[in-house]
Amino acid sequence: MRWTQRLRGAGTAVAAAALLGGALAVPSAQAAAASGEGRLTDLVNPFIGTENEGNTYPGAAVPFGMVQFSPDTGHNTGYDYSENHIRGFSTVHLSGVGCGLGGDLPVLPTTGDITSTDYAKYAAEFSHEDEKASPGSYKVGLKTGIEAELTATKRTGVQRYTFPATDKANVLINAGQSLHKTLNTKVEILDNRTVRTAITGSGFCQDTKPYTVYTITHFDRPFTTSGTWKGDAVTEGSKESTAGGERSGAFVRFDTSKDRSVEATTAISYVDAKGAALNLRSEGGRSYDRVEHAAQAAWEDRLDDVKAQGGSDTLRRTFYSSLYRSFLAPNIGSDVDGRYTGWDQKIHRAKGYTYYQNWSLWDTYRTQAQLLSLLAPRESRDMAISVIKIDEESGWLPKWGYGTVETNIMTGDPVTPFLTNAYQQGLLKGSEGYAEQAYRALKKNADGVPPADSAPVGREANKEYIADGFAPYIKDRAHVKPGDSDYDHGASATLEYALSDAMLGQMAKDLGHKDDAARYTQRAQNYRKIFDSSTGFFRARDAAGAFTGPADPAQSEGFHEGTSWQYQWLVPQDLPGMVGLIGGTKAANDRLDSFFAYDQLVQDPAKTAREVWVNGPYDYYNADKYNPQNEPDLIAPYTYLSTGQPWKTTDVVHAALTLFTDAPTGMTGNDDLGTMSAWNVLSSIGIFPVQPGTDTWGLSTPVFERVDVTLDRRYYPKGRLTVKAPGTSGSARYIQSAQTDGTAFGKTYLTTDDIRGLRELSFTVGDKPSTWGTSADAAPPALK
């Protein structure tokens, strides 16, 4: 690897780094991995979810990496399997988001003269037959005769291009086009190997405050010529270009008549050019092959913490692909020197932790946060600290944060169960005082509203909620700040606020804040304020307190991405109280059976899941059936644990699991930074967070005969949990009995403390429902 050139004007040198040792062996066959031999990474298919609006990406990343080096084909979130042209390989992507975001610095190899600066026009055609992806790497043969390969480190993307023999082998570095709005760009060619950019953009569903990504790209050999472009004008020999919203970029050219391979490393930073250069110096300097092997090793190490035995090859592939996607976000936001840009737009330095960013909290608080607290507690701790720092530095906690800014996408108060989960899982213990700091931030968030001059909306309807017990639904109200408004979704916002109050009440109680605990616990009952006894369903209220919108719960208004049918189960803090409202256990079970089309489901689970349940990634409204493709219903199948019929939870969960396949269409809706993937992983193991924001895990029948989970001994002293279900299958799916370390266990839930003291959870299964888990004290308890 030729890496002796010094960066000019970057403020630091790019020096040779020590090569990583111990390259991995050649990948084994997929069949060998499926049988328990070989590498688990061979079971992962990064193309799952790249079609039908799963919005995943197939490109290269390492766990929680800052860089996600992936092709963009023209879809608004990056890559769509149904398209056949690649516009460029860009450095930033988020798995499963619903709006255009990232796609910064799309780079594309070309040959010949440069005739267009619009990546939609110079895009290269490709075929899936010439495309391959695995954890940490991506490879494609373009129909221009160029082969492109991508891999990544935490903060860099490494590319290798194999050109035909030509003296006009180009690499186009496009600074002015991305998946969001580009506001300003600066491009500098520092020397005959190095290009630097600064890209300021904004947007995610709507305009946001701007943020800047700094990049530096270093090639392994000198280019023969170079230039920049602005708009349509290409200027050979130009070393610098600045632009507003118009197209801008740089091209570099190589003679590949003899040596056809060109390698380059791109480092990024959200701090400044110095940060990008430091990241390059620290993580660059390695050949493509070495970086690729290291990335694969990092993924193998992650996946190896969960060893599943049994199940079909397809089931194992979908499981490990979901586990892979669960580790793609949140993303490292601090540079190698610990510096990061906070939400006050000032530079800070993380000391004793890694700073993370990208917070799809409305989604991830329900599944992915809990999975990471189990499998990646050290990183989860740092993630929680990062969210606390957002409050410390900007004054308020986030709702949906991208990079260094708040987007205010989605509604309710998702940050509360996210942080109370971290507390309840023991991640905030220690002398640093993070537990009390988190509590103070959550209390301010729960009792106030951010001022008009701050970016976050927080609990936007909190004044009315605290005074009246509900967030009003105010149709066509003008948005005060960019993003979503709780007033547009007053009914669901009320349910989300009440859920968060319950979780905060538990944290207050544990920390000794008795008065606060009583107040929040009482507010957790506010879900009752929007229950319409005349319909038997939750219903929005207007500003005057009158129920509003259609009385038909399937046509209801005021619920975010759902109907009253789908939101009726979002009371995990008090399911007995909710069951009482709708007429008792029998009435609740009858309604659940109707909601899940249970009679049809037991006859044909897969058909019911596809043809009777809601089936469409953006099909949110006008439905009275379960929607497994969106977040509000993720906990709903586990409601049967609280109504005395736990076997039906297994029936519904196993039917929903059939929606996950190993094809590009094999995602249920947008993955939303690993939310749906984490649901698959947890439900497949048989342990699910039924009360998000607490330490309660509901139980259902695993789909694997045995799963060995390696746990971090710092947080889980036993260091391992084995879940067994010998003979589990499509027909033998009903729990007959359960044991914890050989002792009979009749409850349908565990706590995190249970897991800490446990080595083995085992189930005996059969082909008919049993009385297991049906006793009066078996269900997860209401929070009081």
Side-chain angles (χ1 to χ4, degrees), residues 140 218 281 640:
V140 64
H218 190 82
R281 183 176 67 177
Y640 282 118

Side-chain angles (χ1 to χ4, degrees), residues 408-491:
N408 291 321
I409 294 301
M410 306 314 297
T411 49
D413 179 22
V415 71
T416 293
F418 172 83
L419 279 179
T420 61
N421 171 72
Y423 169 75
Q424 297 292 355
Q425 305 300 339
L427 305 181
L428 299 181
K429 292 182 179 179
S431 59
E432 303 93 338
Y434 286 125
E436 283 291 348
Q437 186 178 356
Y439 178 74
R440 290 193 299 271
L442 289 169
K443 180 179 178 180
K444 176 176 61 178
N445 176 73
D447 292 339
V449 180
D453 61 354
S454 67
V457 296
R459 285 197 187 196
E460 187 181 17
N462 219 16
K463 181 179 178 181
E464 296 90 339
Y465 173 80
I466 292 173
D468 304 321
F470 64 90
Y473 168 51
I474 305 177
K475 196 171 184 178
D476 300 324
R477 179 181 182 272
H479 286 207
V480 177
K481 300 179 182 181
D484 290 311
S485 171
D486 288 345
Y487 291 108
D488 289 342
H489 312 283

Side-chain angles (χ1 to χ4, degrees), residues 153-164:
T153 69
K154 291 180 180 178
R155 300 173 179 85
T156 76
V158 182
Q159 55 216 282
R160 178 165 63 193
Y161 305 123
T162 303
F163 290 92

